[in-house]
Amino acid sequence: MASRARVRAPELVGAGGWLNTGGKELTLADFRGKITILDFWTFCCINCLHVLDELRELEEKHRDTVVIVGVHSPKFVHEADHRAVVDAVDRYEVHHPVLDDPALATWKQYAVRAWPTLVVIDPEGYVVAQHAGEGHAHAIARLVEELEAEHAAKGTLRRGDGPYVAPEPTAGDLKFPGKAVRLPNGHFLVADSGHHSLVELEADGETVVRRIGDGVRGLVDGHGPRFSEPQGLALLPEGTAEYDVIVADTVNHALRGVRLADGHVTTLAGTGRQWWQGSATEGPAREVDLSSPWDVAWFDGRVWIAMAGVHQLWAYDPAAGTVGVAAGTTNEGLVDGPAAEAWFAQPSGLAVSADGERLWVADSETSALRWVSRETKTVHSAVGTGLFDFGHRDGAAGQALLQHPLGVTVLPDGSVAVSDTYNHALRRYDPASGEVSTLATDLREPSGAVLADGDIVVVESARHRLTRLRLPEEAVRVDAVAHRTQRAATEVAPGALRLDVVFRAPTGQKLDERYGPSTRLLVSATPPELLVSGAGADSALSRELVLSDTVAEGVLHVSAMAASCDDDPAIEYPACHVHQQDWGVPVKLTAGGARRLPLVLAGLE
């Protein structure tokens, strides 16, 4: 076995304490003898949720030798609320210990730069690998097998149960519901995300009529269907298809169709596999991979999809049976303009204006309200400025602030209600006046809303219920609050800056060059003037950048991808894997700042 760098792992410290341990406070010493995988995550981050799913098989297969420890490292202020972290651990079925680190103390000790980041610690307490982004589960599984063999031989491997203690289950008919639609009979159909099913409720929003799905996570069609954390729902125009409702089946990476007459479910789009760079972006709907579809809406003759996992909008054509990209580049950020050139950041809510001319979008990671023009196919921003500014501020839209909204609802007067999820509020944007106001507060993580007989029914996800509100004649007054992400800006010098993305192929694999370059690096900046040169795409993972001496601060957007395959000529069909990560690195330009910026994709710096 090749020798490995050995760096002593820093202690695990978090002011919020430990979850899923039965109340016990843990230290690194409690994991001695185990292979420990630290998962630096935050619950707003779709890539982090993908990694949680990637790790489930590894967690089960090696449960007597491996302990996964989630280190919750918040981006948004709401994510530093301990109660919200408790809810998220329950919502996403996290079955390992979690350290709540609201001040990013452990994040800083491990020099983490991106969500998600995985750090592997050997049974003797040394860091042996670091991986940023998604797609690393196979590499970590191989490393785990090496470490098991190595430390079993040395006598330093300790087998047995880990420190995980399951919390008390959440009771009730709904568990972290996502979104809802009003049915023609006045009932509500709710995506009961935490129970992996759909629930039909009577007009009171409480009485259960029926449940579609048996509550077990899965991808099964027919009269005994299964879902996996369904979110968005959309009613189709009558006569459009043989099914009535489209479901964004988020963790199955699929669209499902539901026939209301008998509850029969059909998979309409997606393969059940997650989309990766290089996968098809259009084609027969059942043959194209999707990535965490979060909401759906009927717009311009097709079902538009908020494809949160790749920061795009896609569209499904029921008549042709096809699906494809409609807007966005997969780059994460806030850039307006022609649909094919726009940037989004985890679009999570959709609603169509009454005249059918605008598709409203809740763009969660930029804390923005945006819209697509049906006529010009251009993207516009109504509220929001970018990835790192958020808060609760009313007034003129140009200076108003939201915090990670997940839902939008068009109101009878043409204004838009925004489910301002992390502000626990319902906000209103008036396109006529350009003003933002607050309709209601004291909601708990509202994720969507639907109109009902002059009222608005809000999906209070973290209270596990629907809440009916009268639409107020006057807005609520709240004190303005503005925030920036807690992540400290990296100080860099103006002028030349060397960008190095560190990537080491997993043991037994090599970079796959059979069909051309196996790596890709894309660099841009906000504002664009920050980069004098070095922007654009190339295959090398290192690049010389030149930064402006007239811009004080900004964000470097770096997207890296590497493909590795089995390095054994005896294998006729080698297994290949894609590793990818997007970084948004806040930078501050100072004369004495760094002239090199290393970002770890896989390996150790």
Side-chain angles (χ1 to χ4, degrees):
M1 183 183 306
S3 61
R4 211 180 273 116
R6 288 167 63 82
V7 179
R8 175 64 70 178
E11 189 53 83
L12 305 178
V13 179
W18 289 86
L19 287 71
N20 285 355
T21 64
K24 182 179 179 180
E25 296 291 309
L26 302 176
T27 68
L28 274 176
D30 294 300
F31 306 119
R32 191 61 56 85
K34 297 283 191 180
I35 300 161
T36 305
I37 301 171
L38 305 183
D39 176 15
F40 289 86
W41 70 298
T42 187
F43 62 79
C44 73
C45 164
I46 191 67
N47 312 91
C48 299
L49 303 186
H50 291 167
V51 167
L52 283 175
D53 291 323
E54 286 180 7
L55 293 175
R56 293 187 199 278
E57 182 178 347
L58 177 74
E59 192 169 26
E60 179 61 32
K61 183 177 179 180
H62 298 274
R63 62 171 50 254
D64 66 332
T65 58
V66 171
V67 175
I68 296 175
V69 176
V71 183
H72 189 268
S73 312
K75 170 187 173 181
F76 290 99
V77 168
H78 170 60
E79 293 173 310
D81 176 352
H82 183 71
R83 177 68 248 177
V85 180
V86 172
D87 286 343
V89 168
D90 185 14
R91 179 194 296 264
Y92 297 116
E93 300 178 4
V94 179
H95 294 163
H96 51 249
V98 173
L99 174 65
D100 181 11
D101 183 19
L104 301 180
T106 296
W107 165 287
K108 294 170 186 173
Q109 285 293 307
Y110 281 82
V112 175
R113 290 185 180 273
W115 297 278
T117 292
L118 298 171
V119 175
V120 183
I121 302 172
D122 73 13
E124 295 178 284
Y126 289 91
V127 175
V128 294
Q130 181 172 325
H131 302 265
E134 304 178 52
H136 301 293
H138 72 286
I140 293 176
R142 186 166 296 193
L143 177 57
V144 163
E145 291 172 357
E146 291 180 10
L147 291 171
E148 285 176 339
E150 176 184 344
H151 288 275
K154 290 173 66 174
T156 51
L157 184 69
R158 175 169 56 88
R159 295 183 180 273
D161 292 337
Y164 169 69
V165 178
E168 289 296 317
T170 301
D173 292 324
L174 300 177
K175 180 180 180 183
F176 300 109
K179 300 184 188 294
V181 292
R182 190 129 187 257
L183 301 178
N185 62 1
H187 291 181
F188 297 96
L189 188 66
V190 184
D192 191 9
S193 308
H195 287 138
H196 311 296
S197 59
L198 309 180
V199 176
E200 184 178 343
L201 302 177
E202 289 187 4
D204 61 8
E206 298 179 2
T207 306
V208 175
V209 177
R210 60 172 168 170
R211 184 174 292 274
I212 302 173
D214 62 5
V216 177
R217 188 190 294 269
L219 180 55
V220 178
D221 286 342
H223 288 102
R226 287 183 173 175
F227 301 87
S228 188
E229 297 180 34
Q231 289 287 341
L233 304 169
L235 278 171
L236 289 180
E238 189 173 353
T240 302
E242 63 180 28
Y243 35 85
D244 307 290
V245 176
I246 296 278
V247 182
D249 195 7
T250 304
V251 179
N252 277 328
H253 309 295
L255 294 190
R256 318 288 294 281
V258 179
R259 192 167 60 211
L260 291 174
D262 58 1
H264 185 275
V265 173
T266 303
T267 298
L268 305 174
T271 63
R273 299 184 301 269
Q274 183 185 336
W275 187 95
W276 289 96
Q277 290 287 353
S279 301
T281 56
E282 62 180 356
R286 290 292 302 271
E287 300 174 15
V288 177
D289 299 337
L290 309 182
S291 183
S292 298
W294 208 275
D295 201 6
V296 281
W298 181 258
F299 175 63
D300 196 24
R302 295 181 294 171
V303 176
W304 283 56
I305 309 162
M307 201 72 79
V310 286
H311 317 300
Q312 291 179 310
L313 304 180
W314 287 42
Y316 165 68
D317 186 335
T322 57
V323 70
V325 176
T329 65
T330 76
N331 292 321
E332 183 179 15
L334 191 153
V335 176
D336 290 337
E341 301 172 13
W343 292 22
F344 296 90
Q346 286 179 219
S348 301
L350 302 175
V352 181
S353 61
D355 61 7
E357 291 300 315
R358 288 187 180 187
L359 177 68
W360 293 99
V361 183
D363 202 27
S364 63
E365 279 293 288
T366 54
S367 298
L369 173 64
R370 308 179 70 188
W371 56 278
V372 181
S373 165
R374 185 194 66 80
E375 181 180 0
T376 64
K377 300 299 186 293
T378 52
V379 178
H380 308 261
S381 293
V383 182
T385 59
L387 286 165
F388 300 107
D389 294 295
F390 52 90
H392 192 146
R393 182 193 287 154
D394 290 332
Q399 57 86 53
L401 294 172
L402 309 170
Q403 187 180 181
H404 199 80
L406 291 179
V408 281
T409 307
V410 174
L411 300 179
D413 64 358
S415 64
V416 181
V418 180
S419 295
D420 194 5
T421 310
Y422 287 3
N423 279 328
H424 308 300
L426 190 68
R427 311 286 294 284
R428 176 180 178 265
Y429 168 69
D430 184 355
S433 67
E435 293 287 314
V436 175
S437 56
T438 298
L439 295 175
T441 58
D442 193 32
L443 300 167
R444 187 71 184 170
E445 293 192 14
S447 55
V450 60
L451 295 175
D453 304 322
D455 296 337
I456 188 164
V457 177
V458 180
V459 182
E460 276 199 273
S461 189
R463 281 200 177 113
H464 318 291
R465 71 186 189 191
L466 303 189
T467 299
R468 184 182 289 259
L469 303 173
R470 290 283 182 188
L471 280 172
E473 294 183 7
E474 293 187 6
V476 178
R477 294 188 62 85
V478 298
D479 293 329
V481 179
H483 300 292
R484 282 184 65 84
T485 178
Q486 289 190 69
R487 291 177 60 192
T490 299
E491 293 192 358
V492 295
L497 176 72
R498 182 169 181 82
L499 171 65
D500 290 322
V501 173
V502 178
F503 177 77
R504 178 181 177 184
T507 303
Q509 293 198 337
K510 65 178 180 180
L511 290 174
D512 177 23
E513 306 282 356
R514 290 171 301 166
Y515 305 110
S518 60
T519 56
R520 178 176 179 269
L521 180 65
L522 176 67
V523 181
S524 62
T526 303
E529 304 80 53
L530 173 63
L531 270 178
V532 176
S533 66
D538 200 351
S539 59
L541 292 182
S542 294
R543 187 179 305 179
E544 292 292 338
L545 310 179
V546 176
L547 304 184
S548 172
D549 58 4
T550 62
V551 177
E553 61 181 7
V555 180
L556 285 174
H557 303 281
V558 181
S559 178
M561 183 187 74
S564 62
C565 296
D566 291 334
D567 185 15
D568 184 347
I571 300 176
E572 183 177 1
Y573 300 105
C576 297
H577 304 273
V578 175
H579 317 254
Q580 66 183 50
Q581 171 63 3
D582 295 333
W583 291 268
V585 183
V587 294
K588 181 178 181 180
L589 277 71
T590 60
R595 293 197 174 276
R596 178 175 177 265
L597 178 62
L599 300 174
V600 177
L601 179 61
L604 289 175
E605 162 63 5

